[in-house]
Amino acid sequence: MVKKSFVIPLFLFLFLHSFFLADKAIAKTSNRQHNIDSLENLLKTAPKDSNKVTILNYLFQQYVNNAPDKALQYGKQALVLAEELNFKNGIAVSLNSIGIIYTHQGNYQKALDKFYQSLKIRKELGFQNEISDCLSKIGFTYLDKGNYKKAIEYIKRSLIIVKKTGYRIMIKENYEGLSEAYSKIGEYSGNYIKKANYYKQAYEYLQLFIAVKDSLFNEEKSEEIGRIQATYDMEKKLADEKKQQAEQASIAAEKEKRRNYWQYS
């Protein structure tokens, strides 16, 4: 009997949870399409300036995971316009965009070429987090390519910068990349002492990755709870105001009714 009363609520919880996740996924898709429609409408009337480059790169972001060929078109358009305008930051962003697609396609050398070009511009501009982002992208491309030592070299260079700037999302990603790279080196190492050391470093970076990930998750949930609480408070306030207005209107109507009664009786 106890077992039965436990299974039913658990089933209901899992069902409702899956329904909630599906609903969120539908909402996310709907928002993405709304963003695409808005950006494409802006693009139609945008003059040929740096803002248009930004719009093209935003469109790239909307399409990159679902329609990479379309994303690549926008990335290339952004690059051409940014070069015409000599818009350095736009050129760097566009090069990164194109490099991401080449990485997804498995064309690692072309991706690296774009990331190195972007890195050069980022260094000229001096934006530290953006430099770190390029270094990380180069490192992860080497990781995909199977050049694990190069991957470690570039990801560590990226990590040094973001530890100083406090860019924790990038810190998290770099820890994950280093864990994977050391694990791969350990997997292919024939020396058992070195293999054990590589796996040890992989485990240590994995623990660091989990710690930062959990910290970011908890912060995100706290912010979400705060937003929900603020929304609830606002809705409650509006509901209370409407209720108060309805009560005042009812009282006023009753007074008017009595006044009319005595006036015509």
Side-chain angles (χ1 to χ4, degrees):
M1 195 70 178
V2 174
K3 186 177 181 181
K4 186 177 180 182
S5 65
F6 172 74
V7 171
I8 292 172
L10 178 61
F11 167 77
L12 287 172
F13 169 76
L14 292 173
F15 173 77
L16 291 171
H17 184 61
S18 64
F19 182 81
F20 172 73
L21 290 177
D23 191 50
K24 281 187 75 176
I26 292 169
K28 188 174 181 181
T29 301
S30 176
N31 288 338
R32 188 178 70 84
Q33 189 56 53
H34 174 73
N35 290 340
I36 288 172
D37 292 342
S38 298
L39 288 166
E40 288 185 338
N41 284 332
L42 285 172
L43 188 64
K44 290 175 184 176
T45 56
K48 292 180 68 174
D49 59 14
S50 60
N51 289 327
K52 187 169 186 176
V53 176
T54 302
I55 293 168
L56 288 164
N57 276 310
Y58 276 139
L59 279 164
F60 166 86
Q61 292 172 14
Q62 297 299 319
Y63 281 110
V64 62
N65 293 318
N66 301 283
D69 290 340
K70 184 89 169 174
L72 183 60
Q73 290 177 19
Y74 281 121
K76 287 182 174 180
Q77 287 177 42
L79 179 60
V80 169
L81 180 56
E83 287 177 337
E84 284 180 15
L85 299 168
N86 196 30
F87 176 31
K88 293 288 187 180
N89 191 54
I91 295 171
V93 172
S94 305
L95 287 167
N96 271 349
S97 297
I98 296 168
I100 288 167
I101 297 298
Y102 287 149
T103 301
H104 291 174
Q105 293 174 345
N107 197 334
Y108 301 124
Q109 193 52 55
K110 287 183 77 171
L112 286 169
D113 290 343
K114 298 302 179 185
F115 293 146
Y116 277 120
Q117 290 175 51
S118 180
L119 178 61
K120 182 180 178 182
I121 297 170
R122 296 296 199 194
K123 286 180 176 179
E124 290 173 4
L125 296 173
F127 300 144
Q128 294 304 302
N129 282 335
E130 285 75 7
I131 292 170
S132 173
D133 177 61
C134 283
L135 291 167
S136 186
K137 281 182 169 63
I138 291 168
F140 274 89
T141 305
Y142 278 123
L143 183 60
D144 291 337
K145 196 178 180 183
N147 190 335
Y148 305 121
K149 289 186 177 180
K150 275 281 190 183
I152 290 168
E153 175 193 339
Y154 278 91
I155 295 173
K156 279 188 173 180
R157 284 171 62 184
S158 171
L159 186 60
I160 288 169
I161 295 172
V162 286
K163 276 187 172 181
K164 292 177 182 176
T165 64
Y167 186 17
R168 289 194 296 159
I169 293 174
M170 184 65 67
I171 291 172
K172 179 199 72 169
E173 291 176 359
N174 285 337
Y175 281 150
E176 185 179 23
L178 288 169
S179 177
E180 185 179 346
Y182 276 113
S183 179
K184 288 292 186 182
I185 290 180
E187 183 181 339
Y188 294 112
S189 177
N191 184 307
Y192 287 103
I193 296 175
K194 287 184 177 180
K195 182 186 287 285
N197 183 54
Y198 288 135
Y199 280 135
K200 179 175 179 290
Q201 290 182 81
Y203 176 75
E204 288 171 350
Y205 279 115
L206 178 62
Q207 292 299 104
L208 290 168
F209 161 73
I210 292 170
V212 178
K213 181 183 177 184
D214 288 347
S215 174
L216 289 169
F217 176 79
N218 290 335
E219 284 183 11
E220 183 181 333
K221 283 300 169 188
S222 295
E223 289 173 4
E224 185 178 347
I225 290 168
R227 285 194 297 270
I228 292 170
Q229 182 65 49
T231 302
Y232 168 76
D233 291 342
M234 179 60 71
E235 292 293 336
K236 187 175 183 300
K237 182 181 177 183
L238 290 172
D240 290 344
E241 288 175 355
K242 285 181 180 179
K243 183 180 178 182
Q244 188 177 10
Q245 289 169 3
E247 289 173 350
Q248 289 173 350
S250 177
I251 292 168
E254 187 62 30
K255 285 181 178 178
E256 182 68 20
K257 184 178 178 182
R258 283 200 300 268
R259 190 163 47 248
N260 290 336
Y261 173 78
W262 289 112
Q263 183 176 352
Y264 295 108
S265 62

